Amino acid sequence: METLVYRFEQGQRKLGSTAQLVGVVSSGNLEVLVQAVDLQSACEIEISTAATGFGAIWQAVMHDFNQRWQLADCRIAINDMGATPAVVSLRMDQAIEACLEHAK
């Protein structure tokens, strides 16, 4: 297992206070847990992955995600079992959309 941690400062979009969990940890998939936490406008993402040695790819996917959402005061935990970058992006977007839906 490998753990990767990313932090993005000065986010603009806050989510509702309800935590959201999407996906399932299984071969080729992942789960994403999103929580609202006071991080002084930052977004922290911690990834636990069974697929080691893909840090550069994770960095690119997380950077792209941050550019799309610009989250503030948000902690995201990802448990990965070898999901492709497309599946990672899909699940992360799904989790954020669930948070926004519950915030209405």
Side-chain angles (χ1 to χ4, degrees):
M1 291 296 284
E2 183 173 16
T3 300
L4 306 166
V5 178
Y6 300 96
R7 183 178 172 101
F8 299 97
E9 303 292 340
Q10 301 175 348
Q12 304 298 315
R13 181 182 291 174
K14 291 189 179 191
L15 302 174
S17 60
T18 303
Q20 294 295 318
L21 177 68
V22 298
V24 61
V25 178
S26 64
S27 180
N29 210 330
L30 75 159
E31 69 179 4
V32 178
L33 173 64
V34 179
Q35 298 173 297
V37 179
D38 183 9
L39 296 173
Q40 296 160 17
S41 295
C43 174
E44 289 182 350
I45 305 169
E46 181 175 309
I47 303 157
S48 296
T49 180
T52 61
F54 293 93
I57 294 171
W58 279 105
Q59 173 68 38
V61 172
M62 295 305 105
H63 177 75
D64 181 60
F65 172 80
N66 182 61
Q67 291 299 307
R68 274 195 314 280
W69 292 104
Q70 295 289 310
L71 298 176
D73 296 330
C74 180
R75 179 170 289 136
I76 300 172
I78 298 173
N79 294 310
D80 172 58
M81 290 299 290
T84 64
V87 171
V88 172
S89 291
L90 174 73
R91 287 284 179 249
M92 293 183 75
D93 288 348
Q94 182 183 24
I96 300 310
E97 289 169 3
C99 288
L100 294 173
E101 183 65 30
H102 281 85
K104 290 181 180 178

